[in-house]
Every structure is written in C-alpha cells, then in structure tokens.
Amino acid sequence: MKKSILIVLLSAIVGGLTAFAVVKNTDTSEKMTVVDTTGGGQYRTVNLSLSDYPDFTYAAESAVDAVVYVKVVAKDVVTGIPGSIFDFFFGYGATPQEREKVGSGSGVIIRPDGYIVTNNHVVEGATEIQVTLNNNKTFDARLIGTDPATDVAIIKIDAEGLPVIPFGNSDELRLGEWVLAIGSPYDLRSTITAGIVSAKGRSMPNYDGEFKIESFIQTDAAVNPGNSGGALVDKKGNLVGVNTAIISQTGSYTGYSFAIPSNMVKKVAEDLIDFGSVKRAVLGITMTPITDKIVKELKLSSFDGVYITEVLKGSAADQAGIRKGDVLIAVDSVSVRNAAAVQEAVNSYRPGDEAELTIIRDGKEKVVHVEFKSTMVDNGSVDEEGAVAFYGSRIKEAGKEKLESLGLDRGVEIVSVGPGKIMDAGVSEGFVILYVNDQPVSTPKDVLDIARKSKRAVYIEGVTSYGRPSYFGFGAE
C-alpha cells in the first residue's frame, strides 16, 4: 500500500516538473534584455507574448457588416453647344444643361435604426443618395446634416435592427497600435486593410480659406478613393476614426492616410442627429506652437502645449482669466501638445459646458475654470482697437487708404475672422461690406442694426481684398 502511494507521489512530482519545464520553455510572457557592447552601445532582445501578435479576425468580422457602400448622384449645370454658327459668334443658343455625376464612398452604421456617418465631401451636392449594406440590400438614404468644418455628415435609411460599430475612445490610441481600415475603394466592397497608428493630431494645409477643425489620426493602412467615410477600427472592433483623406501625387494610396478621431465624430454626429446642426464651443484665443525661444524665455520643461498670443475680449478664455503669454497644456487633465489637439479638445464641448484648463504662468502650473461660449464674443462688443464683433469676425469702418485702393467711397472692412458664421461662409479678412440685405452700409453700426432686424437670413454684398465683387449669406439665428 505504501509502495503504491509512493509511486503515485513520484508520478505527480515528475508530471509537475515536466509541465513546469514545458511552460518554461514555451513561456510567452514579455521579456526584454539589454546588453552593453564593448563599443559602449547597447542592443535589445525582446520576446513578446502571443497576445501581442495581431489577430484581426474578430475586429474584421464584427465590424465589416456595419460598413456600407454609399452611392451619390449630383447634378452639374453646364453650358450647352450653340445651335448654329450665328449662335456661336453672337452667344445665342448656348443654353444651360444639367449633367449627372455619380460618385461613391463609404459609411458607418452608428445606430441600429439606420443612422450612418460618412464624410461631408462624399455627399456634398448630392441629389440622390443610395446605401448598400454588406448583405447587398440597397436603400435610399436622406441627408440629416453636414458639418464641413470637420468633414462629417449624417445620412439615414429606413431600417431597423442594423449591425453597428461601437464608438471607441480615440484619445486612448497609442502610436504603433494596430488598426483596420474598412471601406469600398474603387467599388471593391467591404475591403479591409491593416496598418498602425503613425501619428496623432495631424493637420493639413488649408488652401481654400474655409474654417477647418483638423486633428487627424495618421495611419499606414491602405486607403484609396472610395474609402472616404469608412471605418477605422481597433483590434477590439471599436470605431476609433472615420477615414477621410490621403496625401498623394497620383490620387492613389502612397503610404499615408488620415482619419477623423472617433471622439470628434461622435460629438458632431450626436449634434447633427439631435439638433440638425453642430453646437460648437469656442474658447476665444489665438495660439502658436512652442518654439525654442519661448521655451528659453519662459523656462519651460518641454515643447508640449500652445503659447497664447491673443485673448479676445469678452470671450470664454477672457472671462476665465486667461492672459496673453500663458501656455495652455491641458484641457480637463487631457494633455494638448499642439494647436490641433486644442481644437479637437474644445470641439468635444458644447456652448455652456464647463472645463478645467491647465496653464503655465510665471513658471508655475495653474488650473482655471472656463465656461465655453458659442461665439468668441457677443455681437456689438468693441475691442481696444475699436473693432466691433460680428458673428465671430471683427469689423471697422474702412479707412480712406483702403477705400481708395479699391475705388470705393464707403464700406465696412472685416479686419479679422475667427470661428463663427463669417468664417463658416468662407470669408477672409480684408473683405469690404457694401450692402447688408440690399441696404447700403458705411459703419459697423449700420451692419449690426440691419442684421439684428433680419428674421431669417443675412445677405451681404461687397468686394474681396483684391477688389473682386463677392457675396455670401447665413442664417440670422
């Protein structure tokens, strides 16, 4: 009996030692060894656990059904062909004709009742929108709302119980993290490509002067025409971005692609669905990157943050006590490394929301409380230079030299443009306002009085800084 027990114990011990040896030899935990070389350098050997090797099957299979193909039809008006030689020489007969343009892109289902997020540039100008699901069912879609500043749009189809991709937290993305791009490049439906997060907080040159809020996630996942509006998902299948742009000299993928962060997309989408427009918070500062000179003068420990060069009077920042010369380094404890990050952070709030801003002043960190506003300053507020606030811009009576250079005898000049309806309309500083709602204006007071009386829209005519006649309009509310 004792012998049998002894044999069982020895067998258990041998089995345990064998199992230990196997586990030891196939240990998948992360290890790193740093070795000094005779030349004074170092090399590292790293063993990663199996969980660190990418397996995209779950993310791909769980997300692909919620990415849709978006087909759009837009109409162009083109000049027709003259009907005769007489018409050709004298300009008759060239009647305008409509021509249809067909384009395509991608979209992401964000609610089971048919709400889909895509890019504004995918559906801009569309007269017809058609959505095809991954199961090949096709629906007519209607446009719910757009936000050109972030290039986000919401469309809707009449369907229930649709698959969705849950929103992830784009702030938690790490450089080098694996992500998947899902869309329909070149009409190749449900195409999935993989890459890593190459950079965060990217912005691109803005040549058209339109107001843009850009803090892109840069990846090396292959994205091509048709991917716009598609999903960027993490390994868990969460939506961390919406693919929107590439940088290329050929029009095709060359190694760089950009996505709108999901945190920005989520807030804009909710506003468009709930209110029909974006309720955009504004801080009211002008900022510049941290330079060597600023680091030395202010004795900063890093280049993170932005240097505040101007605080607009009456703005949210002004009322919070922020001053010119402060360095903004965090919004609600989330670090902001550059201007794009500040824009992204502020854009996640609505007017009336509150936040804690961390600034550096006189070499010390300080936390200030801010309540965001919808415009930088209230219309009619006058700054130290005598300029009057007007829907995010500042206006002054045009000076004699300005009027003479443009051949005018009166007018009101837009001397600066900040976030607001004037910037949204694509107007640049230097524009001279001549008429508001068909009434001539000579002073800022004229402009404000007419605009305040408007019940529906404000229609402005004038000339650009180059003397070119131009006009624009916006809603009065």
Side-chain angles (χ1 to χ4, degrees), residues 331-391:
V331 178
D332 267 345
S333 301
V334 177
S335 297
V336 287
R337 302 186 63 181
N338 50 39
V342 174
Q343 280 191 325
E344 181 184 358
V346 173
N347 193 59
S348 65
Y349 296 92
R350 295 188 176 96
D353 287 348
E354 300 177 0
E356 303 290 337
L357 307 183
T358 305
I359 61 173
I360 297 177
R361 179 184 298 168
D362 299 327
K364 298 179 180 179
E365 285 192 12
K366 181 178 180 179
V367 177
V368 297
H369 182 83
V370 65
E371 181 178 343
F372 293 105
K373 293 189 172 186
S374 58
T375 58
M376 286 194 173
V377 289
D378 296 330
N379 283 345
S381 300
V382 182
D383 64 17
E384 297 174 355
E385 299 176 358
V388 179
F390 182 61
Y391 289 103

Side-chain angles (χ1 to χ4, degrees), residues 29-49:
S29 61
E30 182 175 339
K31 296 179 181 179
M32 181 176 70
T33 304
V34 179
V35 180
D36 289 315
T37 64
T38 55
Q42 293 182 340
Y43 69 86
R44 298 190 303 170
T45 59
V46 180
N47 295 322
L48 297 175
S49 65

Side-chain angles (χ1 to χ4, degrees), residues 261-445:
S262 60
N263 288 1
M264 186 184 297
V265 172
K266 183 179 181 181
K267 188 265 180 183
V268 172
E270 289 174 348
D271 279 0
L272 292 176
I273 293 171
D274 294 339
F275 309 112
S277 61
V278 179
K279 304 299 181 182
R280 182 162 285 121
V282 176
L283 184 55
I285 61 172
T286 303
M287 51 193 167
T288 188
I290 305 296
T291 62
D292 281 324
K293 182 179 179 182
I294 294 173
V295 168
K296 292 176 182 177
E297 288 181 353
L298 301 183
K299 298 180 180 178
L300 302 176
S301 59
S302 75
F303 288 82
D304 290 347
V306 294
Y307 180 76
I308 298 174
T309 58
E310 182 182 10
V311 178
L312 296 188
K313 186 177 180 180
S315 67
D318 182 37
Q319 294 182 357
I322 295 175
R323 305 174 191 168
K324 175 182 178 181
D326 288 343
V327 175
L328 176 61
I329 60 173
V331 178
D332 267 345
S333 301
V334 177
S335 297
V336 287
R337 302 186 63 181
N338 50 39
V342 174
Q343 280 191 325
E344 181 184 358
V346 173
N347 193 59
S348 65
Y349 296 92
R350 295 188 176 96
D353 287 348
E354 300 177 0
E356 303 290 337
L357 307 183
T358 305
I359 61 173
I360 297 177
R361 179 184 298 168
D362 299 327
K364 298 179 180 179
E365 285 192 12
K366 181 178 180 179
V367 177
V368 297
H369 182 83
V370 65
E371 181 178 343
F372 293 105
K373 293 189 172 186
S374 58
T375 58
M376 286 194 173
V377 289
D378 296 330
N379 283 345
S381 300
V382 182
D383 64 17
E384 297 174 355
E385 299 176 358
V388 179
F390 182 61
Y391 289 103
S393 70
R394 294 189 297 168
I395 58 177
K396 292 179 70 173
E397 184 174 346
K400 181 179 179 181
E401 184 177 341
K402 179 75 173 182
L403 294 173
E404 288 179 351
S405 68
L406 297 174
L408 304 173
D409 57 5
R410 60 167 177 80
V412 178
E413 182 181 2
I414 298 177
V415 294
S416 70
V417 179
K421 293 186 176 182
I422 301 296
M423 181 177 278
D424 289 347
V427 183
S428 301
E429 62 183 51
F431 187 99
V432 177
I433 301 172
L434 300 178
Y435 298 91
V436 178
N437 289 354
D438 293 327
Q439 300 179 53
V441 294
S442 301
T443 66
K445 185 177 183 301

Side-chain angles (χ1 to χ4, degrees), residues 26-263:
T26 59
D27 185 10
T28 58
S29 61
E30 182 175 339
K31 296 179 181 179
M32 181 176 70
T33 304
V34 179
V35 180
D36 289 315
T37 64
T38 55
Q42 293 182 340
Y43 69 86
R44 298 190 303 170
T45 59
V46 180
N47 295 322
L48 297 175
S49 65
L50 290 176
S51 62
D52 290 315
Y53 288 93
D55 181 357
F56 302 130
T57 53
Y58 172 78
E61 292 170 356
S62 64
V64 70
D65 286 336
V67 179
V68 302
Y69 172 74
V70 180
K71 177 183 176 182
V72 298
V73 176
K75 292 183 179 179
D76 265 354
V77 177
V78 296
T79 303
I81 301 173
S84 67
I85 294 178
F86 181 83
D87 292 338
F88 178 82
F89 282 106
F90 291 93
Y92 302 117
T95 56
Q97 297 179 353
E98 283 190 347
R99 180 179 63 184
E100 284 191 348
K101 291 195 310 181
V102 179
S104 65
S106 305
V108 184
I109 304 172
I110 57 173
R111 284 185 19 178
D113 54 350
Y115 284 96
I116 298 168
V117 64
T118 185
N119 285 146
N120 173 68
H121 76 261
V122 170
V123 297
E124 187 175 19
T127 55
E128 298 176 26
I129 305 173
Q130 200 174 70
V131 167
T132 302
L133 305 184
N134 193 41
N135 61 10
N136 289 325
K137 287 185 178 180
T138 299
F139 298 83
D140 289 329
R142 65 181 185 274
L143 184 64
I144 299 299
T146 65
D147 182 41
T150 56
D151 197 23
V152 172
I154 296 294
I155 58 178
K156 188 180 187 306
I157 61 176
D158 292 327
E160 297 288 341
L162 296 173
V164 301
I165 301 180
F167 277 98
N169 187 348
S170 53
D171 288 340
E172 295 179 353
L173 276 179
R174 300 179 64 184
L175 299 181
E177 182 174 342
W178 283 98
V179 286
L180 299 180
I182 308 176
S184 302
Y186 300 118
D187 283 347
L188 298 171
R189 315 287 176 84
S190 305
T191 295
I192 302 171
T193 57
I196 61 168
V197 176
S198 305
K200 297 172 64 177
R202 287 289 199 215
S203 59
M204 290 187 285
N206 183 5
Y207 299 110
D208 56 15
E210 292 184 2
F211 175 47
K212 300 287 186 183
I213 297 177
E214 298 180 339
S215 185
F216 293 126
I217 301 166
Q218 179 183 329
T219 78
D220 63 353
V223 168
N224 281 291
N227 271 111
S228 291
L232 187 75
V233 301
D234 61 17
K235 289 194 297 181
K236 298 177 182 178
N238 296 319
L239 184 70
V240 292
V242 170
N243 299 311
T244 188
I246 59 175
I247 290 181
S248 172
Q249 294 180 339
T250 64
S252 299
Y253 172 75
T254 55
Y256 307 96
S257 58
F258 300 88
I260 310 165
S262 60
N263 288 1

